[in-house]
Amino acid sequence: MGVVLELPEGGLRAHTKGASEIVLAACDKVIDSNGEVVPLDEASISHLNSTIDKFASEALRTLCLGYMDLESGFSAKDDIPGSGYTCIGIVGIKDPVRPGVKESVALCRSAGVTVRMVTGDNINTAKAIARECGILTDDGIAIEGPVFREKSLEELLELIPKIQVMARSSPLDKHTLVKHLRTTFNEVVAVTGDGTNDAPALHEADIGLAMGIAGTEVNTIV
């Protein structure tokens, strides 16, 4: 997401935050340890990417923060720039697994229900959380949405039964997975979602569980 602010001393500044790899790729400068803005060189990119991987492997959700001064002005009809940002830094957010989740996943497994995680998170974050919950096992596959959507139909038929985690997924990826499970593999599928972007997958599923804010409310769509 992004926002454009009017500075007290005049001028406009765009701030952006989002998936670390994507926002970092939109930056060409960085604030160093002295608070100075310097060019984003290969060494800095390597250090920041290592930080992202380290945070993600510790089950932290990561965000990259960046800003850009808009010297040529800005109109409400304009798109927020997609590149040229100064990287402020990488933030790691702990989103702890709720008590009882691991036990619930185990209960599902014992009842013959396969639990899969489909998320927009970094794949290392998703894998760490999925292992903590008992979703990702040694014989399961974790895949990223951009890789999933490039697979041929024949590859998908072999891959889908083994997928336990899909990271950096789009709403279309989630919908495609649900559709194949229902139609190609003749499975009964229940889907949870907490945002409007989950609507296609919820509608496609046999049972859609639309979670309210913070997952504390559940509305069932059958």
Side-chain angles (χ1 to χ4, degrees):
M1 67 177 291
V3 63
V4 175
L5 303 176
E6 185 173 359
L7 302 176
E9 63 273 18
L12 299 173
R13 177 172 290 174
H15 287 269
T16 186
K17 71 175 178 67
S20 298
E21 311 95 293
I22 296 172
V23 174
L24 182 58
C27 297
D28 56 16
K29 295 177 289 296
V30 64
I31 298 177
D32 67 11
S33 57
N34 298 317
E36 301 293 330
V37 176
V38 297
L40 188 57
D41 57 19
E42 290 297 325
S44 297
I45 293 173
S46 178
H47 172 68
L48 290 168
N49 279 321
S50 295
T51 301
I52 293 168
D53 291 340
K54 180 176 181 295
F55 284 172
S57 65
E58 296 171 358
L60 297 177
R61 308 180 81 167
T62 67
L63 291 174
C64 182
L65 311 178
Y67 77 94
M68 175 197 305
D69 289 324
L70 302 174
E71 298 177 356
S72 58
F74 186 81
S75 165
K77 297 180 180 180
D78 296 335
D79 292 330
I80 292 179
S83 61
Y85 288 91
T86 298
C87 176
I88 299 172
I90 306 296
V91 178
I93 304 170
K94 181 64 176 176
D95 190 5
V97 174
R98 292 188 175 198
V101 170
K102 187 172 184 177
E103 292 77 11
S104 296
V105 171
L107 185 61
C108 287
R109 286 191 182 281
S110 67
V113 177
T114 300
V115 180
R116 308 175 199 268
M117 175 191 287
V118 183
T119 177
D121 281 339
N122 173 290
I123 191 166
N124 292 323
T125 302
K127 287 165 67 175
I129 294 173
R131 287 196 184 97
E132 185 179 348
C133 295
I135 294 173
L136 182 59
T137 60
D138 292 340
D139 57 349
I141 290 176
I143 192 171
E144 291 184 308
V147 176
F148 174 79
R149 70 183 73 118
E150 291 299 320
K151 297 293 184 182
S152 66
L153 179 58
E154 291 75 15
E155 290 173 318
L156 287 178
L157 294 180
E158 181 179 351
L159 193 63
I160 284 176
K162 303 174 185 176
I163 292 176
Q164 293 177 341
V165 175
M166 189 189 299
R168 288 288 182 246
S169 66
S170 71
L172 182 59
D173 297 329
K174 191 170 183 178
H175 178 269
T176 300
L177 178 63
V178 172
K179 185 174 182 180
H180 276 299
L181 286 170
R182 287 190 66 245
T183 59
T184 308
F185 295 94
N186 199 30
E187 299 282 0
V188 176
V189 182
V191 172
T192 63
D194 60 2
T196 54
N197 58 337
D198 292 309
L202 289 168
H203 186 266
E204 179 66 34
D206 296 290
I207 300 172
L209 301 173
M211 314 298 288
I213 186 169
T216 54
E217 300 173 3
V218 178
N219 298 308
T220 306
I221 305 169
V222 181

